Amino acid sequence: MDAVTASIGQGKQDPSVGDGATSSLKDRIARDLGQRILAGTYAQHALLPTEAELCVIYGASRTALRDALLTLSAKGLIEARKRAGTRVRVSSEWNRLDAQVLEWMRDIEPDLDFVRGLIEARLVIEPAAAQLAAKMATSGDLAVIEAAYEAMRVAPEDDLAACLDADVRFHTAILRASRNPVFANLGNMLAAALSFSFRLTTSATANYQQTLSAHGDVLEAIRMRRVDEAHDQMKALIGIASNDLLAVARKGRHQQPAAAAKADPSRA
């Protein structure tokens, strides 16, 4: 047994423990294997251990294991072929905007390429959405954006969950206020991705008041129908978050949790 599978085996738990054991074990297997793939422990194109080996490693039935592998396959992380085994797919095929995949990524060291990709996508999408919102937003749309901003303003800086919730609501409200159906749907899809990045930046921002002020500038530009200013203020706001996000990624903020996850897969 190689070092990777041996390390998994060290965290093996008795699958009979607790209610809903099969479902819970399936989820733990999917999470652990998913995190190992995302972290590069199982490299792209690499073969996973056989079903029989994985059943032994995780103390799982074939049913629980196959359900876990189906979960990973649906998220684009692996592909199974008859007589060829189960192989890790290339990273460009991974569905990293899937809410569960993003949750798994929170507990491993940030992928700098993915972080950059989030920044680049936001810099393209959100300033354009703010620009459209300044033209198209209804009074109801403006009320939703303002309510999210006020929630940010009154949230204690040490209450990450409250800050995160309000921040995500602010940005998704602007995407919807653009009255562009594609942007509105992107808001639904990207909410989990925004949560992932905000979890890093909200706790990392050296000057939360600067970030809060930048959100207020975006709101004011949209409310006053200043189209070009709304675009520029949103671009500036994302610039602040971008600097924080890249700083966190470079420091490997999640290095210790990642190490713990590898040492003890039962945490998954």
Side-chain angles (χ1 to χ4, degrees):
M1 187 178 295
D2 61 27
V4 172
T5 54
S7 71
I8 299 174
Q10 291 170 2
K12 183 174 65 179
Q13 290 188 340
D14 181 353
S16 65
V17 174
D19 294 330
T22 299
S23 175
S24 177
L25 181 60
K26 175 202 75 172
D27 293 340
R28 290 202 303 272
I29 295 170
R31 181 186 182 94
D32 183 64
L33 286 175
Q35 287 183 323
R36 289 172 185 276
I37 291 168
L38 293 165
T41 305
Y42 286 119
Q44 298 171 59
H45 304 293
L47 279 171
L48 295 184
T50 66
E51 276 193 8
E53 289 171 332
L54 287 171
C55 285
V56 171
I57 289 166
Y58 287 105
S61 67
R62 285 189 179 271
T63 298
L65 178 67
R66 287 174 179 173
D67 285 347
L69 294 179
L70 283 173
T71 296
L72 296 176
S73 179
K75 299 177 190 306
L77 297 177
I78 61 172
E79 61 180 347
R81 294 181 180 175
K82 287 184 178 179
R83 294 183 293 279
T86 301
R87 191 176 297 275
V88 178
R89 301 178 72 176
V90 296
S91 60
S92 60
E93 296 174 343
W94 300 347
N95 184 6
R96 286 195 262 195
L97 291 180
D98 178 272
Q100 196 170 31
V101 172
L102 287 162
E103 180 186 352
W104 296 343
M105 290 173 65
R106 286 209 313 261
D107 296 327
I108 63 176
E109 188 172 353
D111 180 336
L112 188 55
D113 287 338
F114 180 68
V115 169
R116 287 186 179 129
L118 275 178
I119 292 169
E120 290 166 359
R122 293 186 65 197
L123 282 170
V124 170
I125 295 167
E126 293 193 68
Q131 193 171 31
L132 281 172
K135 289 181 183 179
M136 306 298 296
T138 65
S139 58
D141 293 329
L142 292 173
V144 173
I145 299 170
E146 185 168 5
Y149 172 71
E150 287 300 314
M152 287 186 67
R153 194 176 63 79
V154 301
E157 291 183 28
D158 60 353
D159 188 345
L160 180 59
C163 294
L164 169 63
D165 177 70
D167 208 344
V168 170
R169 285 195 286 120
F170 180 88
H171 287 267
T172 55
I174 290 173
L175 288 168
R176 295 187 186 103
S178 70
R179 292 289 149 181
N180 179 299
V182 176
F183 282 169
N185 286 333
L186 282 175
N188 295 330
M189 182 181 70
L190 290 177
L194 292 174
S195 295
F196 169 78
S197 62
F198 293 162
R199 280 184 189 278
L200 295 176
T201 59
T202 303
S203 59
T205 300
N207 186 354
Y208 182 75
Q209 291 304 316
Q210 179 189 12
T211 303
L212 187 61
S213 176
H215 281 79
D217 292 340
V218 171
L219 169 61
E220 187 65 13
I222 293 173
R223 184 163 50 197
M224 300 304 294
R225 308 293 182 181
R226 297 171 183 156
V227 175
D228 292 337
E229 184 179 339
H231 177 282
D232 294 344
Q233 292 292 355
M234 179 61 83
K235 188 173 181 179
L237 169 57
I238 297 172
I240 296 171
S242 299
N243 290 335
D244 292 333
L245 195 57
L246 288 173
V248 167
R250 290 192 187 102
K251 290 177 182 177
R253 179 174 178 266
H254 290 296
Q255 189 169 5
Q256 291 182 346
K262 291 178 183 178
D264 183 9
S266 65
R267 293 176 64 248

